[in-house]
PDB file of all heavy atoms in Angstrom:
ATOM      1  N   PRO A  83     -45.536  31.302 -39.006  1.00 91.00           N
ATOM      2  CA  PRO A  83     -46.301  32.529 -38.762  1.00 91.00           C
ATOM      3  C   PRO A  83     -46.304  32.937 -37.267  1.00 91.00           C
ATOM      4  O   PRO A  83     -46.582  34.138 -37.038  1.00 91.00           O
ATOM      5  CB  PRO A  83     -47.664  32.179 -39.232  1.00 91.00           C
ATOM      6  CG  PRO A  83     -47.769  30.794 -39.342  1.00 91.00           C
ATOM      7  CD  PRO A  83     -46.459  30.320 -39.591  1.00 91.00           C
ATOM      8  N   GLU A  84     -46.010  32.049 -36.424  1.00 92.00           N
ATOM      9  CA  GLU A  84     -46.134  32.409 -34.978  1.00 92.00           C
ATOM     10  C   GLU A  84     -44.857  33.029 -34.465  1.00 92.00           C
ATOM     11  O   GLU A  84     -44.793  33.543 -33.296  1.00 92.00           O
ATOM     12  CB  GLU A  84     -46.400  31.167 -34.176  1.00 92.00           C
ATOM     13  CG  GLU A  84     -45.177  30.091 -34.115  1.00 92.00           C
ATOM     14  CD  GLU A  84     -45.324  29.163 -35.351  1.00 92.00           C
ATOM     15  OE1 GLU A  84     -46.098  29.378 -36.239  1.00 92.00           O
ATOM     16  OE2 GLU A  84     -44.515  28.174 -35.359  1.00 92.00           O
ATOM     17  N   ALA A  85     -43.759  33.155 -35.315  1.00 91.00           N
ATOM     18  CA  ALA A  85     -42.497  33.731 -34.866  1.00 91.00           C
ATOM     19  C   ALA A  85     -42.705  35.222 -34.717  1.00 91.00           C
ATOM     20  O   ALA A  85     -43.387  35.945 -35.507  1.00 91.00           O
ATOM     21  CB  ALA A  85     -41.464  33.408 -35.898  1.00 91.00           C
ATOM     22  N   ASN A  86     -42.097  35.744 -33.672  1.00 93.00           N
ATOM     23  CA  ASN A  86     -42.085  37.221 -33.411  1.00 93.00           C
ATOM     24  C   ASN A  86     -40.722  37.856 -33.957  1.00 93.00           C
ATOM     25  O   ASN A  86     -39.736  37.753 -33.192  1.00 93.00           O
ATOM     26  CB  ASN A  86     -42.362  37.543 -31.971  1.00 93.00           C
ATOM     27  CG  ASN A  86     -42.236  39.034 -31.614  1.00 93.00           C
ATOM     28  OD1 ASN A  86     -42.560  39.808 -32.556  1.00 93.00           O
ATOM     29  ND2 ASN A  86     -41.825  39.307 -30.449  1.00 93.00           N
ATOM     30  N   ILE A  87     -40.807  38.351 -35.126  1.00 93.00           N
ATOM     31  CA  ILE A  87     -39.476  38.852 -35.750  1.00 93.00           C
ATOM     32  C   ILE A  87     -39.652  40.297 -35.963  1.00 93.00           C
ATOM     33  O   ILE A  87     -40.637  40.779 -36.622  1.00 93.00           O
ATOM     34  CB  ILE A  87     -39.216  38.028 -37.137  1.00 93.00           C
ATOM     35  CG1 ILE A  87     -39.096  36.624 -36.896  1.00 93.00           C
ATOM     36  CG2 ILE A  87     -37.942  38.688 -37.642  1.00 93.00           C
ATOM     37  CD1 ILE A  87     -38.925  35.844 -38.118  1.00 93.00           C
ATOM     38  N   ILE A  88     -38.683  41.029 -35.492  1.00 93.00           N
ATOM     39  CA  ILE A  88     -38.679  42.564 -35.619  1.00 93.00           C
ATOM     40  C   ILE A  88     -37.490  42.825 -36.461  1.00 93.00           C
ATOM     41  O   ILE A  88     -36.311  42.493 -36.084  1.00 93.00           O
ATOM     42  CB  ILE A  88     -38.669  43.310 -34.273  1.00 93.00           C
ATOM     43  CG1 ILE A  88     -39.832  42.868 -33.460  1.00 93.00           C
ATOM     44  CG2 ILE A  88     -38.568  44.794 -34.554  1.00 93.00           C
ATOM     45  CD1 ILE A  88     -39.795  43.568 -32.147  1.00 93.00           C
ATOM     46  N   ALA A  89     -37.747  43.438 -37.693  1.00 93.00           N
ATOM     47  CA  ALA A  89     -36.648  43.669 -38.656  1.00 93.00           C
ATOM     48  C   ALA A  89     -36.322  45.147 -38.771  1.00 93.00           C
ATOM     49  O   ALA A  89     -37.168  45.991 -38.802  1.00 93.00           O
ATOM     50  CB  ALA A  89     -37.052  43.126 -40.036  1.00 93.00           C
ATOM     51  N   TYR A  90     -34.988  45.485 -38.796  1.00 93.00           N
ATOM     52  CA  TYR A  90     -34.585  46.947 -38.885  1.00 93.00           C
ATOM     53  C   TYR A  90     -33.712  46.953 -40.212  1.00 93.00           C
ATOM     54  O   TYR A  90     -32.689  46.107 -40.324  1.00 93.00           O
ATOM     55  CB  TYR A  90     -33.713  47.361 -37.661  1.00 93.00           C
ATOM     56  CG  TYR A  90     -34.470  47.419 -36.421  1.00 93.00           C
ATOM     57  CD1 TYR A  90     -34.426  46.350 -35.598  1.00 93.00           C
ATOM     58  CD2 TYR A  90     -35.034  48.563 -35.945  1.00 93.00           C
ATOM     59  CE1 TYR A  90     -35.065  46.394 -34.303  1.00 93.00           C
ATOM     60  CE2 TYR A  90     -35.732  48.646 -34.788  1.00 93.00           C
ATOM     61  CZ  TYR A  90     -35.712  47.478 -33.986  1.00 93.00           C
ATOM     62  OH  TYR A  90     -36.331  47.599 -32.778  1.00 93.00           O
ATOM     63  N   HIS A  91     -34.025  47.892 -41.011  1.00 92.00           N
ATOM     64  CA  HIS A  91     -33.089  48.187 -42.178  1.00 92.00           C
ATOM     65  C   HIS A  91     -32.235  49.322 -41.736  1.00 92.00           C
ATOM     66  O   HIS A  91     -32.518  50.527 -42.005  1.00 92.00           O
ATOM     67  CB  HIS A  91     -33.961  48.552 -43.423  1.00 92.00           C
ATOM     68  CG  HIS A  91     -33.061  48.786 -44.686  1.00 92.00           C
ATOM     69  ND1 HIS A  91     -32.301  47.913 -45.249  1.00 92.00           N
ATOM     70  CD2 HIS A  91     -32.942  49.991 -45.387  1.00 92.00           C
ATOM     71  CE1 HIS A  91     -31.587  48.437 -46.238  1.00 92.00           C
ATOM     72  NE2 HIS A  91     -31.995  49.750 -46.339  1.00 92.00           N
ATOM     73  N   ASP A  92     -31.132  48.920 -41.077  1.00 91.00           N
ATOM     74  CA  ASP A  92     -30.215  50.023 -40.505  1.00 91.00           C
ATOM     75  C   ASP A  92     -28.832  49.405 -40.233  1.00 91.00           C
ATOM     76  O   ASP A  92     -28.670  48.190 -40.314  1.00 91.00           O
ATOM     77  CB  ASP A  92     -30.922  50.416 -39.154  1.00 91.00           C
ATOM     78  CG  ASP A  92     -30.521  51.797 -38.725  1.00 91.00           C
ATOM     79  OD1 ASP A  92     -29.615  52.405 -39.314  1.00 91.00           O
ATOM     80  OD2 ASP A  92     -31.064  52.306 -37.733  1.00 91.00           O
ATOM     81  N   SER A  93     -27.991  50.216 -39.830  1.00 89.00           N
ATOM     82  CA  SER A  93     -26.587  49.832 -39.443  1.00 89.00           C
ATOM     83  C   SER A  93     -26.591  49.577 -37.955  1.00 89.00           C
ATOM     84  O   SER A  93     -27.115  50.335 -37.202  1.00 89.00           O
ATOM     85  CB  SER A  93     -25.611  50.959 -39.817  1.00 89.00           C
ATOM     86  OG  SER A  93     -24.397  50.798 -39.249  1.00 89.00           O
ATOM     87  N   ILE A  94     -25.852  48.477 -37.581  1.00 91.00           N
ATOM     88  CA  ILE A  94     -25.677  48.144 -36.221  1.00 91.00           C
ATOM     89  C   ILE A  94     -24.894  49.201 -35.451  1.00 91.00           C
ATOM     90  O   ILE A  94     -24.976  49.218 -34.243  1.00 91.00           O
ATOM     91  CB  ILE A  94     -25.062  46.713 -36.186  1.00 91.00           C
ATOM     92  CG1 ILE A  94     -25.179  46.229 -34.628  1.00 91.00           C
ATOM     93  CG2 ILE A  94     -23.663  46.751 -36.578  1.00 91.00           C
ATOM     94  CD1 ILE A  94     -26.523  46.189 -34.093  1.00 91.00           C
ATOM     95  N   MET A  95     -24.139  49.984 -36.201  1.00 90.00           N
ATOM     96  CA  MET A  95     -23.264  50.972 -35.589  1.00 90.00           C
ATOM     97  C   MET A  95     -24.069  52.312 -35.316  1.00 90.00           C
ATOM     98  O   MET A  95     -23.519  53.348 -34.858  1.00 90.00           O
ATOM     99  CB  MET A  95     -22.087  51.276 -36.414  1.00 90.00           C
ATOM    100  CG  MET A  95     -21.277  50.007 -36.526  1.00 90.00           C
ATOM    101  SD  MET A  95     -19.734  50.121 -37.559  1.00 90.00           S
ATOM    102  CE  MET A  95     -18.655  51.161 -36.365  1.00 90.00           C
TER     103      MET A  95
END
Side-chain angles (χ1 to χ4, degrees):
E84 67 276 10
N86 177 28
I87 302 175
I88 300 176
Y90 295 92
H91 180 60
D92 203 353
S93 169
I94 189 58
M95 299 179 76

